[in-house]
Amino acid sequence: MRTGWMLLGLLALSTAALAGEGRYEALPLAGADGGKGGARAFILDTRDGHVWVWSENELITAPDGRRRYGAGFIYQGKLRPGSQPGEMIEQQGR
């Protein structure tokens, strides 16, 4: 039993170390006050440029076809750096 707690502690420490690197940044989206529409956040992978939106109240379709509302992530795509502020970047195929 003592070994299990030690492994759990090591796992928690390693997870905290990864979070401390700041690879993923989350920002609340406007109007995301947890009201009628539920909370929402913009999540950016600062290393690879992937972007998601997390929503507390997202329409989800289960494998059996039933639909319900619940928390979910929506992948938005991958960002690429521009060469100057305000540059318009055309959408590329995925």
Side-chain angles (χ1 to χ4, degrees), residues 25-30 32 38-44 51-56 72-74 76:
E25 298 289 331
L27 301 167
L29 292 174
R40 295 179 49 189
F42 174 86
I43 300 170
L44 171 65
V51 177
W52 297 266
V53 170
W54 173 84
S55 175
E56 182 178 70
F73 287 92
I74 302 169
Q76 300 296 318

Side-chain angles (χ1 to χ4, degrees), residues 56-79:
E56 182 178 70
N57 196 22
E58 194 62 44
L59 184 59
I60 299 170
T61 303
D64 63 2
R66 289 191 287 177
R67 296 170 67 141
R68 65 176 179 79
Y69 285 93
F73 287 92
I74 302 169
Y75 183 72
Q76 300 296 318
K78 186 174 180 179
L79 301 176

Side-chain angles (χ1 to χ4, degrees), residues 3-26:
T3 305
W5 284 109
M6 195 177 335
L7 289 174
L8 185 59
L10 288 173
L11 179 62
L13 286 174
S14 65
T15 304
L18 286 175
E21 292 177 10
R23 176 174 175 183
Y24 299 98
E25 298 289 331

